[in-house]
Amino acid sequence: MSTEPITLTAALASFDALWSPRIVTRVNDYDVRIAKLRGEFVWHVHEYTDEFFLVLDGHLDIGLREPAGERTVHLPTGAVFTVPRGVEHKPSAPAGASILLFEPTGTSTVGDRHEAVPAYVDVTTGHALDR
């Protein structure tokens, strides 16, 4: 963990990979991750933890499969949303987005129930941020 301030703009400029979170810092047992997104991710669920999203730039849609049915939440720049544990969801950013996430350290980006990790996902628990 860095003992120096981290500028999110500079951190985001340090990588180009999509759907490949970077761990900016840790807070207690949580990773603070940033990621660049474009296109659609996979439907997945986190059985034991909520997932917090903050849109830093662009627009993020999150499809949700809830007991009442499917719906999509639309998050513009500056919006936050928490997907409750146990809710199947699918992030997408057709025009691209940059996001910040809070997740317990070691949380898989593809959730707890998945048959295969998509080829475009190069790591499921985040990369260390190059400084």
Side-chain angles (χ1 to χ4, degrees), residues 42-46 108-118 124:
V42 296
W43 282 102
H44 65 283
V45 65
H46 302 282
S108 172
T109 60
V110 294
D112 302 322
R113 290 185 269 148
H114 57 277
E115 295 177 14
V117 176
T124 60

Side-chain angles (χ1 to χ4, degrees), residues 15-22 35-39 41 93 96-98 119-123 127:
F15 67 97
D16 292 319
L18 299 174
W19 303 104
S20 182
R22 297 306 195 263
K36 294 180 179 180
L37 318 176
R38 182 176 302 277
F41 201 53
S98 297
Y120 60 86
V121 175
D122 67 343
V123 67
H127 290 283

Side-chain angles (χ1 to χ4, degrees), residues 2 10 17-18 22-24 36 46 52 56 101 104-105 111 123 129:
S2 176
L18 299 174
R22 297 306 195 263
I23 301 167
V24 177
K36 294 180 179 180
H46 302 282
F52 172 88
L56 300 170
L101 304 130
T105 298
V123 67
L129 180 67

Side-chain angles (χ1 to χ4, degrees), residues 39-85:
E40 294 187 350
F41 201 53
V42 296
W43 282 102
H44 65 283
V45 65
H46 302 282
E47 296 289 352
Y48 306 106
T49 185
D50 302 332
E51 187 170 19
F52 172 88
F53 293 85
L54 164 61
V55 180
L56 300 170
D57 186 49
H59 184 99
L60 178 67
D61 295 326
I62 303 176
L64 302 167
R65 290 181 174 157
E66 300 171 307
E70 278 192 28
R71 70 181 176 114
T72 301
V73 294
H74 305 282
L75 306 173
T77 299
V80 300
F81 184 76
T82 299
V83 175
R85 70 190 76 200

